[in-house]
Amino acid sequence: TVVARAFTSLQRLHVLVQPLLSTDGALVAMKGKHPEAELLELPSSLDVSITSVCVSQLAAERHIVRIAQGAAA
């Protein structure tokens, strides 16, 4: 599993961390606003989940995105 602050698009981040992931590994990234447009760039074969989180004393949106290989991969 690779944990990162999403410093680029989810698609690019996923490509960058691929060499570091085991076959059952996942990318876990923090994004600000809900990344709807970025999710459309990802292959549909990936298993993607998003969790909204509250950060204490921060009045801004934050989301944790988990991307793993789907069952068909």
Side-chain angles (χ1 to χ4, degrees):
T1 299
V2 174
V3 178
R5 182 168 188 318
F7 58 89
T8 188
S9 73
L10 290 172
Q11 187 276 335
R12 177 150 169 73
L13 186 58
H14 182 257
V15 168
L16 290 172
V17 303
Q18 276 300 295
L20 305 173
L21 291 175
S22 64
T23 55
D24 62 345
L27 165 62
V28 180
M30 179 183 273
K31 294 294 282 185
K33 293 183 179 182
H34 192 283
E36 282 187 57
E38 290 183 46
L39 296 175
L40 297 174
E41 298 173 358
L42 293 171
S44 60
S45 61
L46 296 175
D47 180 19
V48 179
S49 62
I50 301 175
T51 304
S52 296
V53 294
C54 286
V55 179
S56 179
Q57 300 181 13
L58 182 64
E61 291 182 59
R62 293 290 181 264
H63 296 84
I64 303 298
V65 182
R66 182 182 181 279
I67 302 172
Q69 295 300 326

Coordinates of all heavy atoms in Angstrom, one line a residue:
T1 N 0.8 -1.2 0.0 CA 0.0 0.0 0.0 C 0.9 1.2 0.0 O 1.9 1.3 0.7 CB -0.9 0.0 1.2 OG1 -1.8 -1.2 1.1 CG2 -1.8 1.2 1.3
V2 N 0.5 2.2 -0.8 CA 1.2 3.5 -0.9 C 0.2 4.6 -0.4 O -0.9 4.6 -0.9 CB 1.7 3.8 -2.3 CG1 2.3 5.2 -2.4 CG2 2.7 2.8 -2.8
V3 N 0.7 5.4 0.5 CA -0.1 6.5 1.0 C 0.5 7.8 0.6 O 1.8 8.0 0.8 CB -0.2 6.5 2.6 CG1 -1.0 7.7 3.1 CG2 -0.8 5.2 3.1
A4 N -0.2 8.7 0.0 CA 0.3 9.9 -0.5 C -0.7 11.1 -0.4 O -1.9 10.8 -0.5 CB 0.8 9.8 -2.0
R5 N -0.2 12.3 -0.3 CA -1.0 13.4 -0.5 C -1.1 13.5 -2.0 O -0.1 13.5 -2.7 CB -0.4 14.7 0.1 CG -1.3 15.9 -0.1 CD -0.8 17.0 0.7 NE -1.8 18.1 0.7 CZ -2.4 18.6 -0.3 NH1 -2.4 18.1 -1.5 NH2 -3.2 19.7 -0.2
A6 N -2.2 13.7 -2.6 CA -2.4 13.7 -4.0 C -1.9 15.0 -4.6 O -2.6 16.0 -4.7 CB -3.9 13.5 -4.4
F7 N -0.6 15.0 -5.0 CA 0.0 16.2 -5.5 C -0.2 16.4 -7.0 O 0.3 17.4 -7.5 CB 1.5 16.1 -5.2 CG 2.2 14.9 -5.8 CD1 2.7 15.0 -7.0 CD2 2.3 13.8 -5.0 CE1 3.3 13.9 -7.6 CE2 2.9 12.6 -5.5 CZ 3.4 12.7 -6.8
T8 N -0.8 15.5 -7.6 CA -1.1 15.6 -9.0 C -2.5 14.8 -9.2 O -3.1 14.5 -8.3 CB 0.0 14.9 -9.8 OG1 -0.2 15.1 -11.2 CG2 0.2 13.4 -9.6
S9 N -2.9 14.7 -10.5 CA -4.2 14.0 -10.7 C -4.1 12.5 -10.2 O -3.0 12.0 -10.1 CB -4.5 14.0 -12.2 OG -3.6 13.1 -12.9
L10 N -5.2 12.0 -9.9 CA -5.3 10.6 -9.4 C -4.8 9.6 -10.5 O -4.1 8.7 -10.2 CB -6.7 10.2 -9.1 CG -7.2 10.9 -7.8 CD1 -8.7 10.6 -7.6 CD2 -6.5 10.5 -6.6
Q11 N -5.1 9.9 -11.8 CA -4.6 9.0 -12.8 C -3.1 9.0 -12.9 O -2.4 8.0 -13.0 CB -5.2 9.5 -14.2 CG -4.9 8.5 -15.3 CD -3.6 8.8 -16.0 OE1 -3.0 9.9 -16.0 NE2 -3.1 7.7 -16.6
R12 N -2.5 10.2 -12.9 CA -1.0 10.3 -12.9 C -0.4 9.7 -11.7 O 0.6 9.0 -11.7 CB -0.6 11.8 -13.1 CG 0.9 12.0 -13.1 CD 1.4 13.1 -13.9 NE 2.8 13.5 -13.7 CZ 3.8 12.8 -14.2 NH1 3.6 11.7 -14.8 NH2 5.0 13.2 -13.9
L13 N -0.9 10.0 -10.5 CA -0.4 9.4 -9.3 C -0.5 7.9 -9.3 O 0.5 7.2 -8.9 CB -1.2 10.0 -8.1 CG -0.7 9.6 -6.7 CD1 0.7 10.1 -6.5 CD2 -1.7 10.2 -5.6
H14 N -1.6 7.4 -9.8 CA -1.7 5.9 -9.9 C -0.6 5.3 -10.8 O 0.0 4.3 -10.5 CB -3.1 5.5 -10.5 CG -3.3 4.1 -10.5 ND1 -3.3 3.4 -11.7 CD2 -3.6 3.2 -9.6 CE1 -3.5 2.1 -11.5 NE2 -3.7 2.0 -10.2
V15 N -0.3 6.0 -11.9 CA 0.7 5.5 -12.8 C 2.1 5.6 -12.1 O 2.9 4.6 -12.2 CB 0.7 6.4 -14.1 CG1 2.0 6.1 -15.0 CG2 -0.5 6.1 -15.0
L16 N 2.3 6.7 -11.4 CA 3.6 6.8 -10.8 C 3.9 5.8 -9.7 O 5.0 5.4 -9.5 CB 3.7 8.2 -10.1 CG 3.9 9.4 -11.1 CD1 3.7 10.7 -10.4 CD2 5.2 9.3 -11.9
V17 N 2.9 5.4 -9.0 CA 3.1 4.4 -7.8 C 3.0 3.0 -8.3 O 3.3 2.1 -7.5 CB 2.2 4.7 -6.6 CG1 2.3 6.1 -6.1 CG2 0.7 4.4 -7.0
Q18 N 2.5 2.7 -9.5 CA 2.4 1.3 -9.9 C 3.6 0.4 -9.6 O 3.4 -0.7 -9.2 CB 2.1 1.2 -11.4 CG 0.6 1.4 -11.7 CD -0.3 0.4 -11.1 OE1 -0.2 -0.8 -11.4 NE2 -1.1 0.8 -10.1
P19 N 4.8 0.9 -9.9 CA 6.0 0.0 -9.6 C 6.2 -0.3 -8.2 O 6.9 -1.3 -7.8 CB 7.2 0.8 -10.1 CG 6.6 1.8 -11.1 CD 5.2 2.1 -10.6
L20 N 5.6 0.5 -7.3 CA 5.7 0.3 -5.8 C 4.6 -0.6 -5.2 O 4.8 -1.1 -4.1 CB 5.7 1.6 -5.1 CG 6.7 2.7 -5.6 CD1 6.4 4.0 -4.9 CD2 8.1 2.2 -5.4
L21 N 3.6 -0.9 -6.0 CA 2.5 -1.7 -5.5 C 2.6 -3.2 -5.7 O 3.0 -3.6 -6.8 CB 1.1 -1.2 -6.1 CG 0.7 0.2 -5.7 CD1 -0.6 0.5 -6.5 CD2 0.4 0.3 -4.2
S22 N 2.3 -4.0 -4.7 CA 2.2 -5.4 -4.9 C 0.8 -5.7 -5.6 O 0.0 -4.8 -5.8 CB 2.2 -6.1 -3.6 OG 1.1 -5.8 -2.8
T23 N 0.6 -6.9 -6.1 CA -0.6 -7.2 -6.8 C -1.9 -7.0 -6.0 O -2.9 -6.7 -6.5 CB -0.6 -8.6 -7.3 OG1 -0.4 -9.5 -6.2 CG2 0.5 -8.8 -8.4
D24 N -1.8 -7.1 -4.7 CA -2.9 -6.9 -3.8 C -2.8 -5.5 -3.1 O -3.6 -5.3 -2.1 CB -3.2 -8.0 -2.8 CG -2.0 -8.2 -1.9 OD1 -0.9 -7.7 -2.1 OD2 -2.2 -8.9 -0.9
G25 N -1.9 -4.7 -3.5 CA -1.7 -3.4 -2.8 C -2.7 -2.3 -3.3 O -3.5 -2.6 -4.2
A26 N -2.7 -1.2 -2.7 CA -3.6 -0.1 -3.0 C -2.9 1.2 -2.8 O -1.9 1.4 -2.1 CB -4.8 -0.1 -2.1
L27 N -3.4 2.2 -3.5 CA -3.0 3.6 -3.4 C -4.0 4.3 -2.5 O -5.2 4.2 -2.8 CB -2.9 4.3 -4.8 CG -2.8 5.8 -4.8 CD1 -1.6 6.3 -4.0 CD2 -2.9 6.3 -6.2
V28 N -3.6 5.0 -1.5 CA -4.5 5.7 -0.6 C -4.0 7.2 -0.7 O -2.9 7.5 -0.3 CB -4.5 5.2 0.8 CG1 -5.4 6.1 1.7 CG2 -4.9 3.8 0.9
A29 N -4.9 8.1 -1.2 CA -4.5 9.5 -1.4 C -5.5 10.4 -0.8 O -6.7 10.2 -0.8 CB -4.3 9.7 -2.9
M30 N -5.0 11.6 -0.3 CA -5.9 12.6 0.2 C -6.1 13.7 -0.9 O -5.1 14.1 -1.5 CB -5.3 13.3 1.4 CG -6.2 14.4 2.0 SD -5.6 15.3 3.4 CE -6.1 14.2 4.7
K31 N -7.3 14.0 -1.1 CA -7.7 15.0 -2.1 C -8.5 16.1 -1.3 O -9.0 15.8 -0.3 CB -8.5 14.5 -3.2 CG -7.8 13.5 -4.1 CD -6.6 14.2 -4.9 CE -7.1 15.0 -6.1 NZ -6.1 15.5 -6.9
G32 N -8.6 17.2 -1.9 CA -9.4 18.3 -1.3 C -10.9 18.1 -1.7 O -11.5 17.2 -1.1
K33 N -11.3 18.8 -2.7 CA -12.7 18.7 -3.1 C -12.9 17.3 -3.7 O -12.0 16.7 -4.2 CB -13.1 19.7 -4.1 CG -13.1 21.1 -3.5 CD -13.5 22.1 -4.6 CE -13.5 23.5 -3.9 NZ -13.9 24.6 -4.8
H34 N -14.2 16.8 -3.7 CA -14.5 15.5 -4.3 C -14.0 15.5 -5.8 O -14.3 16.3 -6.6 CB -16.0 15.3 -4.3 CG -16.4 13.9 -4.6 ND1 -16.3 13.4 -5.9 CD2 -16.7 12.9 -3.8 CE1 -16.7 12.1 -5.8 NE2 -17.0 11.8 -4.6
P35 N -13.1 14.5 -6.1 CA -12.4 14.5 -7.4 C -13.2 13.8 -8.5 O -12.7 12.9 -9.2 CB -11.2 13.7 -7.1 CG -11.6 12.7 -6.0 CD -12.6 13.5 -5.2
E36 N -14.5 14.3 -8.7 CA -15.3 13.6 -9.7 C -14.7 13.6 -11.1 O -14.7 12.5 -11.8 CB -16.7 14.4 -9.8 CG -17.6 14.0 -8.7 CD -19.0 14.6 -8.9 OE1 -19.6 14.3 -10.0 OE2 -19.4 15.4 -8.0
A37 N -14.2 14.7 -11.6 CA -13.6 14.7 -13.0 C -12.4 13.8 -13.0 O -12.2 13.1 -14.0 CB -13.2 16.1 -13.3
E38 N -11.6 13.7 -12.0 CA -10.4 12.9 -12.0 C -10.7 11.4 -12.0 O -10.0 10.6 -12.6 CB -9.5 13.2 -10.8 CG -8.8 14.5 -10.9 CD -7.9 14.8 -9.7 OE1 -7.1 13.9 -9.3 OE2 -8.0 15.9 -9.1
L39 N -11.8 11.0 -11.4 CA -12.3 9.7 -11.3 C -12.6 9.1 -12.7 O -12.4 8.0 -13.0 CB -13.5 9.5 -10.4 CG -13.2 9.8 -8.9 CD1 -14.5 9.7 -8.1 CD2 -12.2 8.9 -8.3
L40 N -13.1 10.0 -13.6 CA -13.5 9.6 -14.9 C -12.2 9.3 -15.8 O -12.3 8.6 -16.8 CB -14.3 10.8 -15.6 CG -15.6 11.1 -15.0 CD1 -16.2 12.3 -15.7 CD2 -16.5 9.9 -15.1
E41 N -11.0 9.8 -15.4 CA -9.8 9.5 -16.1 C -9.2 8.2 -15.7 O -8.3 7.7 -16.4 CB -8.8 10.6 -15.7 CG -9.1 12.0 -16.1 CD -8.2 13.0 -15.6 OE1 -7.2 12.7 -14.9 OE2 -8.4 14.2 -15.9
L42 N -9.7 7.6 -14.6 CA -9.1 6.3 -14.2 C -9.8 5.1 -15.0 O -10.9 5.2 -15.4 CB -9.4 6.1 -12.7 CG -8.7 7.0 -11.8 CD1 -9.2 6.8 -10.4 CD2 -7.2 6.8 -11.8
P43 N -9.0 4.0 -15.2 CA -9.6 2.9 -15.9 C -10.7 2.3 -15.1 O -10.7 2.3 -13.8 CB -8.4 1.9 -15.9 CG -7.2 2.7 -15.8 CD -7.6 3.9 -14.9
S44 N -11.8 1.9 -15.8 CA -13.0 1.4 -15.1 C -12.7 0.0 -14.4 O -13.5 -0.4 -13.5 CB -14.1 1.2 -16.1 OG -13.8 0.3 -17.1
S45 N -11.6 -0.6 -14.7 CA -11.2 -1.9 -14.1 C -10.7 -1.7 -12.6 O -10.6 -2.7 -11.9 CB -10.2 -2.6 -14.9 OG -9.0 -1.8 -14.9
L46 N -10.4 -0.5 -12.2 CA -9.9 -0.3 -10.9 C -11.1 -0.2 -9.8 O -12.2 0.2 -10.1 CB -9.2 1.1 -10.8 CG -7.9 1.1 -11.6 CD1 -7.3 2.5 -11.6 CD2 -6.9 0.1 -11.2
D47 N -10.7 -0.6 -8.6 CA -11.7 -0.6 -7.5 C -11.4 0.7 -6.7 O -10.3 0.8 -6.1 CB -11.5 -1.8 -6.6 CG -12.4 -1.9 -5.4 OD1 -13.4 -1.2 -5.5 OD2 -12.1 -2.6 -4.5
V48 N -12.3 1.6 -6.8 CA -12.1 3.0 -6.2 C -13.2 3.2 -5.1 O -14.3 3.0 -5.4 CB -12.2 4.1 -7.3 CG1 -12.0 5.4 -6.7 CG2 -11.2 3.8 -8.4
S49 N -12.7 3.7 -4.0 CA -13.6 4.1 -2.9 C -13.2 5.5 -2.4 O -12.0 5.8 -2.4 CB -13.7 3.1 -1.8 OG -12.4 2.9 -1.2
I50 N -14.2 6.3 -2.0 CA -13.9 7.6 -1.5 C -14.6 7.8 -0.2 O -15.8 7.4 0.0 CB -14.4 8.7 -2.5 CG1 -13.7 8.5 -3.8 CG2 -14.2 10.1 -2.0 CD1 -14.2 9.4 -4.9
T51 N -13.9 8.4 0.8 CA -14.4 8.6 2.1 C -14.2 10.1 2.4 O -13.1 10.6 2.3 CB -13.7 7.8 3.2 OG1 -13.8 6.4 2.8 CG2 -14.3 8.1 4.5
S52 N -15.3 10.8 2.7 CA -15.2 12.2 3.2 C -14.7 12.2 4.6 O -15.1 11.4 5.4 CB -16.6 12.9 3.1 OG -17.0 12.9 1.8
V53 N -13.8 13.2 4.9 CA -13.2 13.3 6.2 C -13.3 14.7 6.7 O -13.3 15.7 5.9 CB -11.8 12.8 6.3 CG1 -11.7 11.3 6.1 CG2 -10.9 13.5 5.4
C54 N -13.4 14.9 8.0 CA -13.3 16.2 8.6 C -12.0 16.4 9.3 O -11.5 15.5 10.0 CB -14.4 16.4 9.7 SG -16.0 16.6 9.0
V55 N -11.3 17.5 9.0 CA -10.0 17.8 9.6 C -10.3 18.9 10.7 O -10.8 19.9 10.3 CB -9.0 18.2 8.6 CG1 -7.7 18.6 9.3 CG2 -8.8 17.2 7.5
S56 N -9.9 18.6 11.9 CA -10.2 19.5 13.0 C -9.6 20.9 12.7 O -8.5 21.0 12.2 CB -9.5 19.0 14.3 OG -9.7 19.8 15.3
Q57 N -10.4 21.9 12.9 CA -10.1 23.3 12.7 C -9.7 23.7 11.3 O -9.0 24.6 11.0 CB -8.9 23.7 13.6 CG -9.2 23.5 15.1 CD -8.1 23.9 16.0 OE1 -7.1 24.5 15.6 NE2 -8.2 23.5 17.3
L58 N -10.3 22.9 10.3 CA -10.1 23.2 8.9 C -11.4 23.2 8.3 O -12.1 22.2 8.2 CB -9.2 22.2 8.3 CG -8.9 22.4 6.8 CD1 -8.0 23.7 6.6 CD2 -8.1 21.2 6.2
A59 N -11.8 24.4 7.8 CA -13.1 24.5 7.1 C -13.0 24.3 5.6 O -13.2 25.2 4.8 CB -13.7 25.9 7.4
A60 N -12.6 23.1 5.2 CA -12.4 22.8 3.8 C -12.7 21.3 3.6 O -12.6 20.5 4.5 CB -11.0 23.1 3.4
E61 N -13.1 21.0 2.3 CA -13.4 19.6 2.0 C -12.1 18.8 1.9 O -11.1 19.3 1.5 CB -14.0 19.5 0.6 CG -15.4 20.1 0.6 CD -16.0 19.9 -0.8 OE1 -16.1 18.7 -1.3 OE2 -16.3 20.9 -1.5
R62 N -12.2 17.6 2.4 CA -11.1 16.6 2.3 C -11.7 15.2 2.0 O -12.7 14.9 2.6 CB -10.2 16.6 3.6 CG -9.4 17.8 3.8 CD -8.3 18.0 2.8 NE -7.6 19.2 3.1 CZ -7.8 20.4 2.5 NH1 -8.8 20.6 1.7 NH2 -7.0 21.4 2.8
H63 N -11.0 14.5 1.2 CA -11.5 13.1 0.8 C -10.3 12.2 0.8 O -9.2 12.5 0.3 CB -12.2 13.2 -0.6 CG -13.4 14.0 -0.6 ND1 -13.4 15.3 -0.7 CD2 -14.7 13.6 -0.4 CE1 -14.7 15.8 -0.7 NE2 -15.5 14.8 -0.4
I64 N -10.5 11.0 1.3 CA -9.5 9.9 1.2 C -10.0 9.0 0.0 O -11.1 8.5 0.0 CB -9.4 9.1 2.5 CG1 -9.1 10.0 3.6 CG2 -8.4 8.0 2.3 CD1 -7.8 10.7 3.6
V65 N -9.1 8.8 -1.0 CA -9.4 8.0 -2.1 C -8.5 6.8 -2.1 O -7.3 6.9 -1.9 CB -9.1 8.8 -3.4 CG1 -9.5 7.9 -4.6 CG2 -9.8 10.1 -3.5
R66 N -9.2 5.6 -2.2 CA -8.4 4.3 -2.2 C -8.6 3.7 -3.5 O -9.7 3.5 -4.0 CB -9.0 3.4 -1.1 CG -8.2 2.1 -1.1 CD -8.8 1.1 0.0 NE -8.1 -0.1 0.0 CZ -8.2 -1.1 -0.8 NH1 -9.1 -1.1 -1.8 NH2 -7.5 -2.2 -0.7
I67 N -7.5 3.4 -4.2 CA -7.5 2.8 -5.5 C -6.8 1.5 -5.5 O -5.6 1.4 -5.1 CB -6.9 3.8 -6.6 CG1 -7.5 5.1 -6.6 CG2 -6.8 3.1 -8.0 CD1 -6.8 6.2 -7.4
A68 N -7.4 0.4 -5.9 CA -6.8 -0.9 -5.9 C -7.2 -1.6 -7.3 O -8.1 -1.1 -8.0 CB -7.3 -1.8 -4.8
Q69 N -6.5 -2.6 -7.6 CA -6.8 -3.4 -8.8 C -8.1 -4.0 -8.6 O -8.4 -4.6 -7.5 CB -5.7 -4.4 -9.1 CG -4.3 -3.8 -9.4 CD -4.4 -3.0 -10.6 OE1 -5.1 -3.2 -11.6 NE2 -3.6 -1.9 -10.6
G70 N -9.0 -4.0 -9.6 CA -10.3 -4.6 -9.5 C -10.1 -6.1 -9.7 O -9.1 -6.7 -10.0
A71 N -11.2 -6.8 -9.4 CA -11.2 -8.3 -9.5 C -10.9 -8.8 -10.9 O -10.3 -9.9 -11.0 CB -12.6 -8.8 -9.0
A72 N -11.2 -8.0 -11.9 CA -11.0 -8.4 -13.3 C -9.6 -8.2 -13.7 O -9.2 -8.7 -14.8 CB -11.9 -7.7 -14.2
A73 N -8.8 -7.5 -12.9 CA -7.4 -7.1 -13.4 C -6.5 -8.3 -13.2 O -6.7 -9.2 -12.5 CB -6.9 -5.9 -12.6

